[in-house]
């Protein structure tokens, strides 16, 4: 982007230089006259005129119309005084010579006018090209930088480099004051005052001679406007004498770019507002889901505990030993349900805060799967098939957390399939170990496969109220990700759902050869 920095730093490059043009007119006329005088008797008047016209053209190209007219006048005088008899006078013997002088002067003036006009157009086109190139370079700094802070940092660095500045800063309002959103190099101390005055400006302002070059260290304040609103100010500080050119073209480029930067600031602020709105909306959604889900799961066990305890405390009723044991068993079961719910809430909060710290131990999947399967088989008569080879490489996991994940996945599979068996299978794949919990139940529709891992989301179906709190799978994925793995769901061939748990395998280091 900065490849043309030296060319485009000063938009005045190539502008007419009058001193050079006048020097060409004087020196060129003298340089042409000397050789022509040496062959005055042999050279034709036409060649003399053409030689002086060449000087006129060079003078007009170098300095514009003024030097071109000067060269024409000098050539006219030299031609008359030195090359038309009688020599060394301004009187010609032949009246035709006066006509030649007049034609020469006319042609010289026309040539000078045409060349200077063409040169002005060329320089204007060149200046526009440089402005366009600089605006492109500056505009490129407004895109592909992610956050608003990164974009503004890129802007000030680019502006400073392109103009060869001592410093550059972007100032944005904040409450009753200001904040320096980005800065690079030396910046003035009175940025607050500059921003306050920028809001009332209609053009680029500078403390110093308006329209002239900036002296080294002088600051220029450019309002950043979006429509009629000033959303900030771009403050630049001139560098050394070689980079101090800030005439009208440079100010126009800065003003145009400042307005583009203002749009970026406005868009960035709008995006921040949208992000805050989305965050509030998501927080509200989670709060509502939590209340809807947890309130039911809290009320049900609390109601059972309250009813059982009240019955036991009722002195007017004589309960048998079996009835008393049934009440106590209900209280114990419902307390376990409440404890499980609280643990889930705590796990979810740790996962959201990034505070889940698994205690990693090298273990094999066969060791981890065995106790979970035995508990599942003991809890029901449902068949659970296991295919977990002992030859699989070990994994680095927290055994307690992995047990929690496998128990949840196996319980989900058993609850969604009636008579068909549940399968637990594992295999090695590309430096990882994959564990699959397979059921042949109703399955999970495609659009729902990612949503089942959302907090408090419960799959609806069968016309029944969804069971559970909707936290189990979200917690499972959070635990697996904390281990550096992944958890996804696929469709079982023939119908059903397959949860795929992927964990990185432990790479065994080769043993050093005995010396």
């Amino acid at each position: 982007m900065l490849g043309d920095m030296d060319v485009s730093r000063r938009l005045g490059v190539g502008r007419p230089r009058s001193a050079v043009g006048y020097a060409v007119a004087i020196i060129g006329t003298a340089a042409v006259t000397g050789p022509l005088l040496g062959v005055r008797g042999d050279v034709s008047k036409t060649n003399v005129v053409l030689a002086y016209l060449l000087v006129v053209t060079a003078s007009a190209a170098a300095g514009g119309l003024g030097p071109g007219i000067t060269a024409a006048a000098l050539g006219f005088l030299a031609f008359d005084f030195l090359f038309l008899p009688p020599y060394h006078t301004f009187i010609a013997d032949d009246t035709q010579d006066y006509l030649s002088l007049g034609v020469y002067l006319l042609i010289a003036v026309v040539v000078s006018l045409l060349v200077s006009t063409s040169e002005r157009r060329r320089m204007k086109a060149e200046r526009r090209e440089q402005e366009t190139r600089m605006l492109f370079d500056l505009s490129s700094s407004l895109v592909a930088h992610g956050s608003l802070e990164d974009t503004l940092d890129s802007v000030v660095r680019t502006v400073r480099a392109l103009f060869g500045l001592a410093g550059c800063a972007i100032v944005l309002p904040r409450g009753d004051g200001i904040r320096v959103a980005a800065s690079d190099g030396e910046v003035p101390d009175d940025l607050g005052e500059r921003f306050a005055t920028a809001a009332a400006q209609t053009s680029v302002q500078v403390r110093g001679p308006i329209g002239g070059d900036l002296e080294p260290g002088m600051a220029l304040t450019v309002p950043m406007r979006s429509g009629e609103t000033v959303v900030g100010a771009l403050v630049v500080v001139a560098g050394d004498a070689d980079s101090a050119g800030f005439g009208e073209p440079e100010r126009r480029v800065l003003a145009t770019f400042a307005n583009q930067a203002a749009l970026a600031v406005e868009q960035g602020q709008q995006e921040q507002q949208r992000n805050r709105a989305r965050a509030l909306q998501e927080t509200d959604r989670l709060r509502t889901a939590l209340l809807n889900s947890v309130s039911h799961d809290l009320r049900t066990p609390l109601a059972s505990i309250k009813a059982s305890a009240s019955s036991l405390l009722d002195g007017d009723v004589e309960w048998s030993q079996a009835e008393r044991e049934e009440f106590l068993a209900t209280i114990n079961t419902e307390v376990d349900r409440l404890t499980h719910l609280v643990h889930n809430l705590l796990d979810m909060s740790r996962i959201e805060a990034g505070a889940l710290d698994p205690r990693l131990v090298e273990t094999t999947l066969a060791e981890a799967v065995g106790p979970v399967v035995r508990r599942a088989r003991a809890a029901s008569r449902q068949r659970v098939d296991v295919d977990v080879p002992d030859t699989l490489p070990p994994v680095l996991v927290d055994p307690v957390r992995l047990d929690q994940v496998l128990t949840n996945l196996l319980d989900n599979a058993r609850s969604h399939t009636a008579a068909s068996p549940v399968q637990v299978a594992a295999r090695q794949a590309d430096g990882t170990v994959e564990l699959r919990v397979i059921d042949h139940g109703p399955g999970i529709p495609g659009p729902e496969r990612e949503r089942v891992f959302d907090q408090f989301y419960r799959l609806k179906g069968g016309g029944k109220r969804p069971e559970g709190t909707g936290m189990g799978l979200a917690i499972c994925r959070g635990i697996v990700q904390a281990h550096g793995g992944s958890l996804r769901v696929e469709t079982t061939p023939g119908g059903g759902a397959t949860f795929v748990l992927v964990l990185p395998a432990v790479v065994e280091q080769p043993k050093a050869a005995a010396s």
Side-chain angles (χ1 to χ4, degrees):
M1 180 175 65
L2 301 179
D4 297 322
M5 180 176 63
D6 293 336
V7 178
S8 60
R9 181 179 295 173
R10 296 285 299 273
L11 295 180
V13 170
R15 65 181 59 171
R17 292 173 292 179
S18 297
V20 175
Y22 286 115
V24 171
I26 297 171
I27 297 173
T29 301
V32 167
T33 301
L36 289 177
L37 281 176
V39 293
R40 182 167 57 182
D42 299 324
V43 69
S44 66
K45 297 176 183 178
T46 301
N47 289 334
V48 174
V49 169
L50 291 176
Y52 285 126
L53 285 176
L54 181 62
V55 177
V56 170
T57 303
S59 301
L65 182 60
I69 296 297
T70 300
L74 291 175
F76 174 86
L77 296 175
F79 181 38
D80 187 7
F81 191 75
L82 299 173
F83 295 96
L84 293 180
Y87 300 130
H88 306 118
T89 68
F90 293 104
I91 300 174
D93 289 341
D94 191 349
T95 55
Q96 293 292 329
D97 291 339
Y98 289 112
L99 179 61
S100 299
L101 286 170
V103 171
Y104 161 77
L105 188 59
L106 177 61
I107 293 175
V109 172
V110 171
V111 167
S112 178
L113 182 61
L114 291 177
V115 171
S116 62
T117 301
S118 175
E119 188 66 14
R120 282 198 304 271
R121 290 176 178 174
R122 183 194 65 79
M123 289 184 294
K124 185 176 181 180
E126 181 181 297
R127 186 178 298 116
R128 290 295 175 84
E129 179 186 358
Q130 298 293 349
E131 289 182 17
T132 302
R133 183 180 304 166
M134 180 174 285
L135 280 173
F136 173 78
D137 289 339
L138 292 171
S139 298
S140 297
S141 64
L142 293 176
V143 297
H145 286 287
S147 66
L148 178 60
E149 288 74 16
D150 292 339
T151 299
L152 297 183
D153 285 338
S154 175
V155 166
V156 295
R157 289 195 302 268
T158 304
V159 171
R160 185 187 178 194
L162 285 173
F163 287 94
L165 301 170
C168 179
I170 290 180
V171 183
L172 301 179
R174 180 175 62 185
D176 295 333
I178 64 160
R179 70 181 181 93
V180 180
S183 65
D184 189 35
E186 303 174 5
V187 296
D189 296 329
D190 57 344
L191 291 177
E193 180 183 349
R194 288 179 176 277
F195 176 79
T197 57
Q201 294 176 8
T202 58
S203 62
V204 181
Q205 298 292 326
V206 58
R207 295 186 177 180
I210 302 300
D213 285 351
L214 293 181
E215 296 295 331
M218 187 176 293
L220 184 75
T221 304
V222 187
M224 296 168 54
R225 294 184 180 277
S226 176
E228 298 298 325
T229 305
V230 175
V231 301
L234 177 66
V235 181
V236 298
V237 180
D240 55 29
D242 292 335
S243 58
F246 270 92
E248 184 60 28
E250 290 85 358
R251 296 164 192 261
R252 184 169 58 246
V253 168
L254 277 177
T256 302
F257 176 69
N259 292 336
Q260 293 180 358
L263 293 177
V265 170
E266 193 171 46
Q267 291 173 359
Q269 292 173 344
Q270 291 174 353
E271 182 64 24
Q272 291 175 351
Q273 292 174 356
R274 285 193 293 269
N275 290 338
R276 285 194 293 267
R278 282 195 292 265
L280 291 174
Q281 185 178 11
E282 179 65 14
T283 301
D284 186 65
R285 185 191 70 80
L286 292 177
R287 183 186 297 113
T288 302
L290 176 64
L291 290 175
N292 291 339
S293 177
V294 176
S295 60
H296 175 269
D297 292 281
L298 282 173
R299 283 197 301 266
T300 301
L302 286 175
S304 299
I305 293 172
K306 176 64 176 176
S308 298
S310 298
S311 298
L312 289 174
L313 292 173
D314 190 350
D316 298 333
V317 182
E318 288 290 336
W319 303 106
S320 65
Q321 184 63 27
E323 290 173 330
R324 294 175 64 84
E325 291 178 354
E326 182 179 355
F327 288 139
L328 291 173
T330 298
I331 293 173
N332 185 64
T333 300
E334 298 305 325
V335 167
D336 288 342
R337 285 182 61 185
L338 286 175
T339 302
H340 180 68
L341 176 62
V342 171
H343 285 168
N344 278 347
L345 290 173
L346 291 175
D347 286 341
M348 185 64 71
S349 64
R350 292 190 189 101
I351 291 172
E352 286 184 337
L356 190 65
D357 187 18
R359 299 179 180 179
L360 303 180
V361 177
E362 187 175 311
T363 186
T364 64
L365 282 183
E367 295 174 349
V369 169
V372 178
V373 172
R374 286 193 292 271
R375 288 198 303 269
R377 288 171 175 169
S380 69
R381 297 179 180 179
Q382 193 168 357
R383 178 179 164 187
V384 180
D385 296 333
V386 180
D387 181 15
V388 182
D390 293 332
T391 57
L392 291 175
V395 290
L396 201 61
V397 295
D398 184 332
V400 176
R401 291 297 185 182
L402 183 58
D403 184 286
Q404 180 182 352
V405 171
L406 295 178
T407 300
N408 191 291
L409 294 179
L410 199 55
D411 288 345
N412 276 349
R414 290 172 45 241
S415 65
H416 287 92
T417 181
S420 57
V422 174
Q423 297 170 281
V424 180
R427 66 184 182 90
Q428 184 178 0
D430 298 329
T432 63
V433 178
E434 290 186 356
L435 180 74
R436 296 173 179 266
V437 179
I438 307 167
D439 69 59
H440 297 279
I444 300 175
E448 307 285 329
R449 288 177 192 163
E450 269 302 308
R451 297 195 64 190
V452 296
F453 295 103
D454 291 344
Q455 299 179 31
F456 309 114
Y457 182 79
R458 291 174 293 179
L459 189 65
K460 301 177 178 61
K464 298 186 298 182
R465 186 183 186 278
E467 298 181 356
T469 61
M471 290 187 291
L473 290 177
I475 292 173
C476 287
R477 174 173 274 187
I479 292 174
V480 173
Q481 289 176 342
H483 285 78
S486 63
L487 180 63
R488 66 180 187 272
V489 62
E490 300 175 349
T491 299
T492 303
T498 298
F499 284 86
V500 184
L501 169 62
V502 181
L503 291 171
V506 176
V507 179
E508 295 185 3
Q509 299 294 333
K511 295 181 179 179
S515 57

